[in-house]
Amino acid sequence: MTAYVCSRCQVHAPADALTWCCPRCRGPWDLEFTSGPVSRASLTSRVNSLWRYEEALPLATHAPAVTLGEGRTPLVPLTDTVSAKLDFLMPTLSFKDRGAAMLAELALRLRQGGGLSHVLADSSGNAGTAIAAYCARAGLDCVVYVPEGTSPKKLEQIRAHGARLTVVAGDREATARAARAAADAPGAFYASHVYNPHFLHGTKTYVYELWEDLGGRLPDTLVVPVGNGTLLLGAALAVDELYGHGLVDRRPALVAVQAEAVSPLAAAFHAGEEELSAPAAAHPTLAEGIAIPNPPRARQILRAVRASGGTFLTVTDDQIRVAQRDLARRGLFVEPTGVACWAAVRAAPQRGRCVVPLCGAGAKTGLAAGVTPQSVQ
């Protein structure tokens, strides 16, 4: 296996250990891993899932033990210049399956090596359902911590996969703190979509698929929702790898979208800050999946957006409501968090060709109230 490294402290740890964060600063791990170039010509004969990009994956295998056929989601046009990647068509109905497949594969290998007794995760819903499903596929015992107020449909899905739920009184941050405390128990593998970098190497396949489907090119702009930043950081990884191997000749701008009600990264970016000076207040928003007041990878997210020549945009709940109705009238039923990027692009059109992800299915949360069909233009 590869090794973990803390980008702040340069502390290292073997990736077959259960140490979930840097022991010095308690920050998230990065992965010491060098990808190989992926040959587009070879892809036609490969498995039709994200595991087809095996040269780029740290847990590469010709026959992964844990897969539900995730990845390879459709890319469909919304306008002449904007396309949507339908990641809500994943097995558990959200893009989080990309990272969950990697974490469950890792957990299974760790159990085979001895020492792992159970998997735990914390989530506002989608990551928890994905981890629960892939642990079920792998035959792993799983506990998922969720905040009170999580969508009942998401709770039902987690339970259906056999995971044990721990509902935490308080908000998303309180839930994360409770899970991190439990993660220090012997035998626990913290399948964190924030702290474990294998998750980011799963989400980067989003961009590898765009590269493949666009004939070896990337769009001018990638618009990505950002709470903890797992899709954006995965996208940045993929862009760096594709460019570094000479497989693309330019890098797209990364445009990050936050909910206006909880937008600490957007505020820091526009203030010229390199990291968060203080957590944001936790206000309610329809975009609950990206309402993260204090993302642990804030510095990395801000650096990635600036390096790409991109920016941060924010959207209001009213814009989210209208965008959700608009997509539904186009045949695409997406949960409120998942429409944030489309809401942002409608308000602030981007240069050149642009791709937005539709990250979670509307069946998970239902239709946001407050906008009539007649008000959607």
Side-chain angles (χ1 to χ4, degrees):
M1 288 188 179
T2 51
Y4 294 134
V5 60
C6 174
S7 60
R8 285 181 180 271
C9 306
Q10 297 305 306
V11 171
H12 288 69
D16 59 357
L18 296 180
T19 308
W20 61 268
C21 68
C22 172
R24 184 176 299 170
C25 71
R26 302 289 283 182
W29 289 124
D30 291 322
L31 202 62
E32 286 194 332
F33 169 72
T34 301
S35 72
V38 176
S39 166
R40 276 200 309 125
S42 70
L43 292 175
T44 56
S45 61
R46 295 192 182 184
V47 62
N48 195 35
S49 78
L50 62 80
W51 294 100
R52 68 199 279 111
Y53 310 111
E54 59 186 47
E55 296 92 341
L57 297 177
L59 298 174
T61 172
H62 294 293
V66 187
T67 182
L68 291 167
E70 57 288 326
R72 306 295 292 130
T73 54
L75 184 66
V76 300
L78 295 178
T79 71
D80 289 343
T81 59
V82 181
S83 296
K85 189 156 174 60
L86 310 190
D87 258 26
F88 69 89
L89 297 181
M90 289 283 198
T92 77
L93 307 182
S94 91
F95 87 95
K96 296 288 177 61
D97 289 8
R98 295 185 183 277
M102 296 289 290
L103 290 182
E105 178 76 21
L106 174 61
L108 186 61
R109 296 185 189 188
L110 293 176
R111 189 182 68 177
Q112 291 167 346
L116 184 150
S117 62
H118 65 284
V119 174
L120 68 88
D122 61 285
S123 168
S124 59
N126 283 339
T129 58
I131 295 295
Y134 282 85
C135 282
R137 186 70 170 177
L140 295 163
D141 185 34
C142 180
V143 182
V144 179
Y145 287 68
V146 297
E148 59 184 358
T150 298
S151 164
K153 295 179 180 180
K154 293 179 180 179
L155 298 181
E156 181 181 6
Q157 188 178 5
I158 292 170
R159 289 192 183 99
H161 293 309
R164 290 174 283 131
L165 270 170
T166 298
V167 179
V168 178
D171 59 13
R172 182 67 182 84
E173 286 295 299
T175 304
R177 288 194 297 271
R180 290 168 200 162
D184 289 325
F189 171 65
Y190 187 24
S192 171
H193 57 292
V194 181
Y195 280 80
N196 194 301
H198 287 89
F199 196 95
L200 306 181
H201 285 270
T203 62
K204 77 181 180 186
T205 59
Y206 173 89
V207 169
Y208 273 90
E209 289 175 18
L210 290 176
W211 167 76
E212 180 182 357
D213 291 342
L214 294 174
R217 303 186 308 278
L218 290 176
D220 300 295
T221 306
L222 291 170
V223 185
V224 186
V226 172
N228 277 309
T230 56
L231 184 54
L232 183 137
L233 291 173
L237 273 174
V239 170
D240 285 348
E241 290 171 0
L242 289 166
Y243 186 81
H245 290 305
L247 297 174
V248 294
D249 58 8
R250 57 178 178 76
R251 302 169 187 258
L254 298 176
V255 174
V257 177
Q258 294 210 284
E260 185 178 275
V262 186
S263 52
L265 292 165
F269 180 88
H270 293 298
E273 297 172 357
E274 294 184 1
E275 53 189 311
L276 297 187
S277 56
H283 298 297
T285 174
L286 291 173
E288 60 182 9
I290 53 174
I292 308 298
N294 190 24
R297 293 187 185 270
R299 186 176 62 153
Q300 292 176 300
I301 296 165
L302 292 167
R303 186 170 61 237
V305 173
R306 285 198 176 96
S308 76
T311 190
F312 272 81
L313 302 174
T314 62
V315 291
T316 66
D317 277 9
D318 282 344
Q319 289 174 312
I320 288 171
R321 289 185 181 98
V322 172
Q324 189 188 35
R325 293 276 187 178
D326 177 68
L327 285 174
R329 289 178 60 177
R330 296 167 185 260
L332 301 168
F333 188 29
V334 185
E335 68 175 343
T337 297
V339 306
C341 290
W342 177 232
V345 168
R346 280 166 54 89
Q350 299 301 301
R351 67 176 179 84
R353 297 211 166 266
C354 156
V355 172
V356 299
L358 303 183
C359 294
K364 284 175 170 279
T365 54
L367 197 62
V371 176
T372 64
Q374 291 76 19
S375 69
V376 180
Q377 302 298 321

